[in-house]
Amino acid sequence: MSVLLLRLAGPLQSWGVAARFVRRTTEPAPTKSGVLGMLAGALGRDRGEDLADLAALRFAVRTDQPGTRVRDLQTAHHGDTDKPMPLSERFYLADAVFVAAVEGPDATVDALAAALRAPVHLPYLGRRSCPPSGPVDLGVRSGAGLRSVLEREPWQAAPWYRRRHHAASVSLPVQADAEPEEQPRADLLRDLPLSFDPRHRRYALRGVVSFVVNAPTAEADHDPTAHLNPLEPESD
């Protein structure tokens, strides 16, 4: 078994689980359905294709930089009648950074890593209007499970955010698929994709457990987005 690590960072992200009419919310961290959808797109899969192999992958996400929740009001017109549509309310995470991990058979994980390096459909962070600010693929890790990998992976927050912390490690929250013995205390989230077919999208419940890992900061001086010359917010 291997683990594929993804760095999910961008100006805006939005990871919805439930959408009620014109109100589109976001979870505080990337969802399994959203990340698997991104991976399916990188592979070039059709929305109607079977997702059983991807849904079987174990998933976890570490919050390296929580970002700020922002709201946007959007207007639109009907494509056929040009009549104005109801005002919609959409929520995003601004300036957030996450490390997502998917664990599965070596061949499957290697294929996903290769697809991310040469995607059929470009990845986006929950919505098409939310592109990543840099490479998504952090590589494949072998010989360790999800928790161990996330404990060893250096902190991936932006440089301006990392400068607020000077210790050798940092405590970071993680949400992960619950193991069978953890199911009785797990939270349930309707976030396990069964079908992305737009005519009949289907999602099942999955058990989620939360814990904290101490990730190293020693290698954090290497900024994977430095070549992008991002603007830094003003100091507090």
Side-chain angles (χ1 to χ4, degrees):
M1 302 290 276
S2 301
V3 176
L4 172 63
L5 288 179
L6 313 172
R7 185 178 189 269
L8 305 178
L12 292 175
Q13 306 186 37
S14 187
W15 306 94
V17 170
R20 295 292 296 175
F21 306 106
V22 295
R23 182 179 171 86
R24 304 297 177 95
T25 61
T26 179
E27 294 295 306
T31 59
K32 184 172 185 175
S33 57
V35 172
L36 293 186
M38 180 179 67
L39 294 174
L43 290 167
R45 292 196 182 183
D46 184 81
R47 286 182 177 271
E49 288 190 45
D50 183 35
L51 296 173
D53 60 332
L54 297 183
L57 298 170
R58 292 203 65 237
F59 175 77
V61 60
R62 189 182 78 185
T63 300
D64 285 34
Q65 183 174 323
T68 303
R69 189 169 178 261
V70 297
R71 183 181 69 160
D72 183 35
L73 298 176
Q74 297 185 6
T75 59
H77 285 74
H78 195 283
D80 295 325
T81 65
D82 199 38
K83 291 184 178 180
M85 304 291 287
L87 187 70
S88 65
E89 187 180 26
R90 305 193 178 209
F91 293 86
Y92 300 87
L93 300 173
D95 295 325
V97 181
F98 304 96
V99 174
V102 291
E103 180 183 31
D106 295 347
T108 301
V109 170
D110 289 342
L112 292 174
L116 281 176
R117 291 190 287 270
V120 176
H121 301 294
L122 293 176
Y124 52 84
L125 306 179
R127 292 186 187 154
R128 291 188 182 92
S129 60
C130 301
S133 59
V136 171
D137 175 31
L138 283 176
V140 175
R141 310 288 187 266
S142 302
L146 285 177
R147 181 164 186 158
S148 295
V149 167
L150 291 175
E151 286 177 338
R152 299 174 186 174
E153 187 64 22
W155 195 19
Q156 296 292 317
W160 63 266
Y161 192 85
R162 292 200 306 260
R163 283 196 288 270
R164 302 176 179 181
H165 188 92
H166 304 289
S169 65
V170 59
S171 297
L172 301 172
V174 175
Q175 291 181 330
D177 285 345
E179 297 280 10
E181 65 275 12
E182 297 174 319
Q183 291 294 342
R185 63 182 179 86
D187 295 322
L188 295 179
L189 193 65
R190 191 167 294 280
D191 181 37
L192 183 64
L194 303 177
S195 173
F196 288 134
D197 190 328
R199 296 168 297 181
H200 187 45
R201 293 186 178 91
R202 292 182 295 126
Y203 302 89
L205 293 171
R206 70 179 179 101
V208 179
V209 292
S210 300
F211 53 89
V212 173
V213 296
N214 290 317
T217 62
E219 298 179 35
D221 289 337
H222 170 66
D223 175 22
T225 64
H227 65 289
L228 300 173
N229 190 27
L231 295 177
E232 295 186 12
E234 294 182 359
S235 301
D236 293 336

